[in-house]
Amino acid sequence: MKKNALTLTVVANMTSNYSEGLGNIASVQKVFKNRKVYTIRSRESLKNAVMVQAGMYDDLQTEVDGATQKLVTPELNAATCRALEGGYMSTKGTTYVRKSSVYFTDAIACESFVNETRFHNNLYLAGNYAKAQGKNIQNDADGVGLMPYQYEYDKSLKVYSMTVDLDMVGKDENFDAEASPEEKAARIEALLRAVETLSLVVKGNLDNAEPVFVVGGLSERKTHYFENVVHVEEDRLLMSEDLKEKIAQGYHAGLLKSKVFLNENEIEEELHPMSVPGFFNTLVEDVKAYYGV
């Protein structure tokens, strides 16, 4: 079978995204599984962050037709516009639907959630306003806009997967259009470089979400091939026989030597990983070879 998919599973130390607030408390997004609660960064949030950092949305154009949606025309389609690589549904006039060629899973925490609420206020801003208005912040807190607020905080090891349908990249069957092999390879390289150096801004704070462990490569199966075999327990990467057997089928592993994993030496001895930059450089070259560029 032809290897026409790119799949990778990442372990990264990242924050969660936020869902609905409870009163004035911002709550991180969570899922319930295995009778426990785990924090997540949703697949939608993760895909958006990667697409933005990769520059894939730099040429995004939108329109309002009942709902705000991506602009699609015979001239502006997935072959000519990188922003449409992530899929679209255009309902203006004739309805056109093109599925995404890039798929993500939720980034789910490796350990169950322990509630940590952080308490903040805008004291400095309120004090600055009070001083300018000649008011006393202690006697007139409401009048100067003093406002306490709280939010749940989570930054933990999370596991997520990304899979790309290489046959679908740069093609738009709705308009019988197709990008050049060079453009297809460039799009995948941009996505890989974004995952390699992923950085998030959450609640005004910069979050380094780069991989500390990553595994994957070109695959015959268009699925998250390593999703079920990459697990972390008590800061140790589980070295299962299934993980080793899958890697041995022509895949690669990358490790950031950061002492994040307590069994870092075991990982090196049993998986023989390359560096994280080396891993992504190898995948970029594999993708270029696939497209013949």
Side-chain angles (χ1 to χ4, degrees):
M1 294 178 64
K2 183 181 179 181
K3 292 186 175 181
N4 52 7
L6 171 70
T7 184
L8 62 157
T9 295
V10 175
V11 181
N13 194 23
M14 66 166 63
T15 53
S16 304
N17 59 297
Y18 286 81
S19 56
E20 296 296 326
L22 302 174
N24 68 336
I25 302 177
S27 175
V28 294
Q29 197 157 359
K30 309 176 188 74
V31 293
F32 181 80
K33 68 172 189 174
N34 301 330
R35 296 172 300 280
K36 293 182 180 179
V37 174
Y38 296 83
T39 56
I40 69 168
R41 176 163 289 276
S42 69
R43 68 191 69 187
E44 295 84 4
S45 172
L46 190 58
K47 180 179 179 180
N48 184 74
V50 171
M51 293 287 282
V52 169
Q53 185 166 320
M56 297 289 282
Y57 283 161
D58 288 353
D59 58 0
L60 176 65
Q61 297 184 48
T62 54
E63 64 177 352
V64 177
D65 183 48
T68 303
Q69 58 189 0
K70 297 175 182 178
L71 177 63
V72 180
T73 68
E75 297 74 31
L76 196 70
N77 54 64
T80 61
C81 178
R82 289 188 174 189
L84 300 179
E85 193 65 66
Y88 65 77
M89 182 174 68
S90 174
T91 59
K92 189 172 183 178
T94 302
T95 296
Y96 293 108
V97 177
R98 194 262 191 188
K99 294 181 180 180
S100 176
S101 61
V102 185
Y103 297 91
F104 286 83
T105 66
D106 295 331
I108 303 179
C110 300
E111 300 290 345
S112 59
F113 180 58
V114 177
N115 190 14
E116 179 184 342
T117 304
R118 296 196 169 183
F119 299 86
H120 294 268
N121 59 61
N122 61 338
L123 179 60
Y124 184 83
L125 294 177
N128 181 271
Y129 179 79
K131 182 178 179 181
Q133 299 297 318
K135 296 184 178 182
N136 187 322
I137 192 172
Q138 293 179 327
N139 297 331
D140 196 18
D142 293 336
V144 299
L146 182 63
M147 182 181 66
Y149 62 96
Q150 300 88 42
Y151 62 85
E152 292 179 341
Y153 177 79
D154 169 73
K155 183 176 175 69
S156 57
L157 289 177
K158 294 181 175 64
V159 179
Y160 70 91
S161 298
M162 180 183 83
T163 298
V164 183
D165 184 343
L166 297 177
D167 284 339
M168 191 175 180
V169 172
K171 290 184 180 180
D172 198 323
E173 295 181 352
N174 291 320
F175 304 100
D176 194 24
E178 185 170 353
S180 68
E182 291 79 9
E183 171 62 15
K184 294 178 182 180
R187 292 184 184 186
I188 304 307
E189 180 175 3
L191 290 169
L192 288 172
R193 297 304 182 190
V195 172
E196 178 185 2
T197 60
L198 187 59
S199 181
L200 307 168
V201 177
V202 183
K203 292 291 182 184
N205 297 311
L206 194 62
D207 176 23
N208 180 358
E210 67 181 353
V212 294
F213 176 79
V214 58
V215 60
L218 297 189
S219 174
E220 299 172 349
R221 297 175 57 189
K222 297 178 180 179
T223 187
H224 304 303
Y225 190 55
F226 288 90
E227 179 181 16
N228 295 321
V229 294
V230 176
H231 300 286
V232 178
E233 289 185 3
E234 298 180 354
D235 295 332
R236 293 178 180 272
L237 181 69
L238 298 187
M239 308 297 293
S240 69
E241 290 302 317
D242 289 310
L243 173 60
K244 297 174 190 177
E245 289 178 5
K246 285 196 171 190
I247 294 176
Q249 296 172 11
Y251 295 94
H252 313 286
L255 174 68
L256 182 69
K257 295 182 181 180
S258 56
K259 299 300 181 182
V260 169
F261 298 110
L262 298 180
N263 62 334
E264 187 173 288
N265 292 336
E266 181 187 7
I267 296 171
E268 293 187 80
E269 291 173 2
E270 298 196 28
L271 300 185
H272 308 291
M274 57 183 73
S275 68
V276 170
F279 173 90
F280 283 96
N281 289 339
T282 298
L283 261 60
V284 167
E285 293 305 314
D286 288 347
V287 169
K288 289 181 178 179
Y290 175 84
Y291 288 120
V293 299

